[in-house]
Amino acid sequence: MLNFLKYLPLEWRKRHEYCVPKGPSFRWAPWVTIPIAGSRLRLKAPRHSPRRSGEQWRLLPGRDLLDDPRLNHMATGVMANDYWGNAPALSRRFAFWGPWMSGCKAELAMSVCAWGRQKGHEFADISFFHPKAFEMVLVQYLNDYYGHKHWNVHTHIPRWHGPADWQRHNHLPVFAGSCKIYSQGPDPDITNNLSFPEHLFFFPITDQHFVEITFVQHLYSRDKNGDIAFDTAPIQALQDAIVNSISLELSPAAQASYDRIKKEVRNMQLPKEFAPLKWPIDPSASQPPASDSPNTATDQDRLWKL
Amino acid sequence: MNQNPYPAIAGKTSGKRIRCNPELLPVWQRLEQAALRGHHWARLAVRELHYLASGLQDKNNVYTRAGDRDPVTGNTRLTVFLPGLKATVVRWPNDNYCMTELVLDGNYFEATRDTREQTRMGLYRVTPSRDPKHWPTEYVDDGKVLPKDSRVVAVVDAGYETVVDAAREIVPRTMKHPGVPTSTIRQSGCDLHFTPGEKRLGGLTRYNALRQDSSRASALHLADSMMAARDIPGVIWVGDQGGSAVVTQAMQILVDRGVTLKGHSAYLYKPRTSPGDAVRLAHRLELTLNEAFADTGWDIQGALSQLSVAGVRLDHKQDPYNKGYHTQAWITGLVKAAGPVGVVGAGAAAIGASIPMLSGIVTVIGGVGVAYALGQSVAEDLRHKLKR
């Protein structure tokens, strides 16, 4: 009870001193079930509690995310080309409040969506359940979403750096990987000009779609020198707890596809290491390969050699 | 020959000479170095200081404030607000000027931390993202608006911690303003001008935009972006709440420079500074205005400010504002929200104006037409109630 009063979600007097903020309780969080093409993705996430009023995005109950096979197009300039489409499933924000109305210290933004290729631009003859094929798809996706953005046409300094801290996860019935993409500043002479990482978590869900869960930590309270003025452990703890609570139940069709590929490829694991990609890329370099032959880009060559 | 111990930094060949204290010279040289390295805003600051040399006077400019007199020598002091720097310039009796104080924001010119952490002053591109409720922002190094027809530039209030925070609140709201192309924003985003700071701009007691100090540097940024965007057709400049202070000051800078923004348009949402002043400047900049220039909501001060400038708008040939428009909109809104006839009086009284006073205002502005509108909206509302 005292905690509830101590960490009221109000901002009355902003303080930028060290404190340990408190966010929504994970213990009492409800479970969210998202049906995607017959498979069921389940995770435990607190209710939407943003700092300022704003709606969450959610899938209406009783609907499957991929009921309508058409995927949303991205707005112009967001991706390097128009070959990708997505279906957003969930989007929530959790605010972390300081003690005694000293302001909102941070917000954790979570978003779950499914990605696939648009009609006419599919990767022919491959299944996303094949680990090597999935790697190639990931490289293509990261290049198209993050890799093409740069600060200046002349200096070609990329806006993003990644993937970093690649880890593979084995607690799902399919292989899964997570990484961080850092935002890069415009001045290359300054060391350590990376910040604002986006935490991504990927796994395939059908032969032609994969699920991406994104976490972004927005940190608001800084002291006079510009350093973070509070303990960020609770935010990371909530993020880790949500990731660990993810469970997946494949549909019979998806399971059959997965087993079929497992018979051919014994080692159904993503690679242990995934070095940062060379960015910015030239947007014309991200053409969809005609088949899964590893001839079209140097990144793909590197992957196949692993 | 004795060399003057105060080195000249501007106006060496023409205009008034600006000197500086010797201990400030390294700071000034650092600024010039940043400008040479290509930092857009350092170049802007150096250019503005040279510009001041040609037109320096003791009166108020938007980004200079003529202050008190120096207590020791009795010389007049001028405070100059530029992006990332604040300078105090003293006028000597021989009509030379000397910079006695220069405070430089090192972080600002090195453009590292603030840019990465999304708190830097300036122009950002806002784009839609994979998450339909999230609007990621990207800093634009040279402050140039995207050269697309009818581009919307939202000028936001200070008081937000980061640009992303501001964008998340502002963009869905901006999409709904009259005259703003909603689907275009959903498809290609918009631009956003950000002013960092802890406190919001403007307010009840700080209603005169041209007196706000905390937004002068930001207004200079915005004026620079506006000038560069002159040739883009149909740009819409939207001031959100305290952003009206920045927009008004930027418009004043452009008027002082003799620039016009023909074909552009402006709109103020819940302005925290006087919209009346903004309308006068908008006319001088030859902006194309809608009838509704500012949504002042229920704010009496705002409504009166708009009413006060109604005469000016009527006289202006290009302004589509017609008699009684504003009063009609305000009163209709008041009546519709308040409900049946009996409550109208109570609603109006709650705001402090009684019905006879309202009709008095109405007859001052327009003729019979508006009074009819008043009666109409009341009757319309009553009919609606009786139908149930």
Side-chain angles (χ1 to χ4, degrees):
Chain A
M1 189 61 198
L2 181 66
N3 255 356
F4 172 71
L5 288 174
K6 188 175 175 191
Y7 291 99
L8 277 175
L10 294 172
E11 262 178 30
W12 189 20
R13 38 173 215 136
K14 275 203 192 143
R15 289 276 185 276
H16 296 292
E17 290 142 7
Y18 180 81
C19 69
V20 182
K22 190 166 169 308
S25 156
F26 184 75
R27 207 151 61 96
W28 300 105
W31 285 91
V32 177
T33 308
I34 305 173
I36 308 176
S39 310
R40 283 156 60 88
L41 172 66
R42 257 187 118 216
L43 51 91
K44 192 169 197 239
R47 269 177 249 277
H48 180 62
S49 52
R51 173 199 192 177
R52 291 179 223 274
S53 61
E55 290 165 19
Q56 61 165 326
W57 179 275
R58 61 190 192 100
L59 199 59
L60 292 173
R63 294 214 181 171
D64 190 300
L65 183 64
L66 293 175
D67 258 345
D68 183 352
R70 290 172 304 181
L71 298 168
N72 288 350
H73 286 260
M74 290 283 100
T76 45
V78 174
M79 297 195 80
N81 49 49
D82 200 22
Y83 304 149
W84 295 92
N86 83 335
L90 186 70
S91 155
R92 281 188 192 170
R93 284 169 89 90
F94 313 112
F96 287 76
W97 298 91
W100 305 120
M101 297 190 268
S102 55
C104 175
K105 302 293 174 189
E107 258 186 299
L108 179 67
M110 176 181 92
S111 118
V112 178
C113 60
W115 285 91
R117 298 285 284 191
Q118 292 286 354
K119 213 162 153 153
H121 300 287
E122 295 97 342
F123 293 120
D125 305 330
I126 63 160
S127 161
F128 286 23
F129 285 122
H130 191 300
K132 291 268 182 278
F134 186 61
E135 267 177 62
M136 185 269 297
V137 167
L138 261 190
V139 167
Q140 203 60 70
Y141 167 73
L142 290 173
N143 277 343
D144 285 347
Y145 196 89
Y146 294 105
H148 71 110
K149 295 208 168 107
H150 53 77
W151 281 100
N152 195 320
V153 191
H154 307 293
T155 58
H156 280 295
I157 298 171
R159 282 202 191 242
W160 298 98
H161 171 84
D165 290 345
W166 168 263
Q167 279 174 16
R168 48 188 184 181
H169 299 263
N170 295 319
H171 60 279
L172 295 179
V174 292
F175 46 80
S178 69
C179 66
K180 288 193 202 153
I181 309 276
Y182 285 92
S183 165
Q184 185 164 352
D187 203 334
D189 296 335
I190 311 285
T191 53
N192 191 22
N193 65 348
L194 302 176
S195 68
F196 251 8
E198 296 197 353
H199 305 250
L200 306 175
F201 186 85
F202 299 98
F203 56 88
I205 190 85
T206 72
D207 284 324
Q208 294 295 323
H209 300 93
F210 66 89
V211 171
E212 179 198 41
I213 305 184
T214 315
F215 291 94
V216 186
Q217 298 176 8
H218 297 276
L219 305 174
Y220 293 140
S221 174
R222 288 175 194 280
D223 63 16
K224 284 191 293 292
N225 301 333
D227 299 316
I228 307 287
F230 60 96
D231 187 8
T232 54
I235 302 146
Q236 188 64 41
L238 179 62
Q239 181 181 316
D240 293 336
I242 297 177
V243 171
N244 289 335
S245 75
I246 296 176
S247 74
L248 178 64
E249 205 185 283
L250 287 175
S251 68
Q255 187 70 54
S257 275
Y258 184 78
D259 291 335
R260 182 172 43 88
I261 300 202
K262 193 163 178 184
K263 281 205 201 74
E264 301 169 9
V265 181
R266 290 305 174 76
N267 183 12
M268 295 288 271
Q269 289 226 356
L270 289 171
K272 208 153 170 246
E273 307 282 331
F274 201 134
L277 297 167
K278 266 172 80 67
W279 284 340
I281 56 158
D282 185 4
S284 60
S286 56
Q287 297 297 325
S291 65
D292 68 342
S293 67
N295 289 330
T296 35
T298 47
D299 289 314
Q300 295 173 38
D301 281 343
R302 183 172 55 82
L303 285 178
W304 285 101
K305 285 196 183 97
L306 281 166
Chain B
M1 194 166 76
N2 281 345
Q3 202 171 16
N4 195 320
Y6 289 93
I9 54 174
K12 289 184 199 133
T13 49
S14 62
K16 301 207 163 80
R17 199 159 276 201
I18 302 187
R19 298 183 180 278
C20 75
N21 271 354
E23 62 259 19
L24 287 181
L25 192 61
V27 183
W28 174 255
Q29 283 169 342
R30 200 164 144 229
L31 179 64
E32 286 188 321
Q33 270 165 19
L36 282 172
R37 280 186 75 194
H39 284 288
H40 177 67
W41 301 114
R43 264 208 312 260
L44 186 73
V46 172
R47 191 189 76 200
E48 288 301 325
L49 233 85
H50 283 276
Y51 183 83
L52 274 180
S54 60
L56 200 64
Q57 290 176 36
D58 287 323
K59 70 172 187 188
N60 273 346
N61 200 331
V62 179
Y63 50 91
T64 64
R65 186 187 65 204
D68 34 15
R69 290 180 174 272
D70 187 57
V72 173
T73 54
N75 296 326
T76 42
R77 266 203 302 223
L78 206 63
T79 315
V80 182
F81 298 89
L82 288 170
L85 77 87
K86 186 176 144 192
T88 310
V89 176
V90 160
R91 183 187 180 184
W92 284 340
N94 64 352
D95 215 20
N96 271 356
Y97 289 82
C98 179
M99 180 159 38
T100 53
E101 203 190 323
L102 180 62
V103 177
L104 211 61
D105 184 357
N107 263 349
Y108 182 84
F109 289 109
E110 265 146 40
T112 51
R113 176 161 252 165
D114 281 349
T115 308
R116 285 184 286 127
E117 284 148 15
Q118 316 244 308
T119 52
R120 195 173 180 207
M121 182 199 296
L123 195 73
Y124 289 78
R125 295 248 190 280
V126 179
T127 49
S129 79
R130 55 159 97 79
D131 178 346
K133 297 290 176 184
H134 180 55
W135 296 89
T137 57
E138 278 173 16
Y139 189 74
V140 180
D141 240 1
D142 53 9
K144 288 204 169 42
V145 174
L146 193 71
K148 270 184 144 200
D149 284 13
S150 307
R151 185 72 175 169
V152 174
V153 183
V155 181
V156 305
D157 204 351
Y160 292 101
E161 259 95 358
T162 64
V163 193
V164 179
D165 201 19
R168 192 185 165 88
E169 186 176 322
I170 302 298
V171 176
R173 193 156 69 200
T174 305
M175 286 204 291
K176 300 195 191 115
H177 291 327
V180 168
T182 312
S183 42
T184 311
I185 297 188
R186 223 172 252 139
Q187 185 55 35
S188 32
C190 64
D191 286 349
L192 192 146
H193 178 91
F194 182 70
T195 309
E198 289 262 321
K199 286 178 96 168
R200 297 175 70 182
L201 300 166
L204 205 66
T205 48
R206 295 183 292 267
Y207 212 55
N208 184 352
L210 300 175
R211 297 235 190 96
Q212 300 295 305
D213 279 344
S214 41
S215 58
R216 288 181 198 271
S218 179
L220 191 58
H221 266 239
L222 182 61
D224 196 67
S225 299
M226 282 174 151
M227 260 199 293
R230 245 182 330 197
D231 297 323
I232 307 174
V235 177
I236 305 172
W237 306 92
V238 179
D240 189 282
Q241 297 181 327
S244 65
V246 185
V247 172
T248 311
Q249 287 180 338
M251 289 203 283
Q252 180 68 60
I253 295 178
L254 292 179
V255 165
D256 288 341
R257 301 274 169 94
V259 171
T260 61
L261 294 175
K262 236 174 152 53
H264 288 201
S265 165
Y267 183 75
L268 302 178
Y269 171 76
K270 294 222 164 76
R272 285 168 64 86
T273 55
S274 162
D277 289 346
V279 166
R280 275 182 257 259
L281 290 169
H283 283 162
R284 290 181 67 183
L285 287 176
E286 298 187 27
L287 292 178
T288 313
L289 300 179
N290 299 318
E291 280 114 341
F293 172 69
D295 175 3
T296 43
W298 288 84
D299 180 25
I300 275 268
Q301 194 178 18
L304 287 176
S305 169
Q306 293 208 66
L307 280 176
S308 71
V309 87
V312 175
R313 295 195 73 181
L314 289 174
D315 284 338
H316 199 248
K317 284 194 214 25
Q318 305 285 40
D319 196 325
Y321 187 83
N322 62 18
K323 278 189 185 194
Y325 167 80
H326 175 74
T327 328
Q328 180 180 27
W330 183 48
I331 294 177
T332 311
L334 198 145
V335 166
K336 280 207 178 112
V341 181
V343 185
V344 168
I351 302 188
S354 59
I355 288 282
M357 180 180 139
L358 278 178
S359 45
I361 296 175
V362 156
T363 43
V364 159
I365 292 294
V368 182
V370 185
Y372 175 74
L374 174 63
Q376 165 123 27
S377 45
V378 165
E380 182 185 14
D381 209 72
L382 193 58
R383 262 201 312 267
H384 168 74
K385 289 282 171 185
L386 289 175
K387 255 191 215 156
R388 273 195 267 127

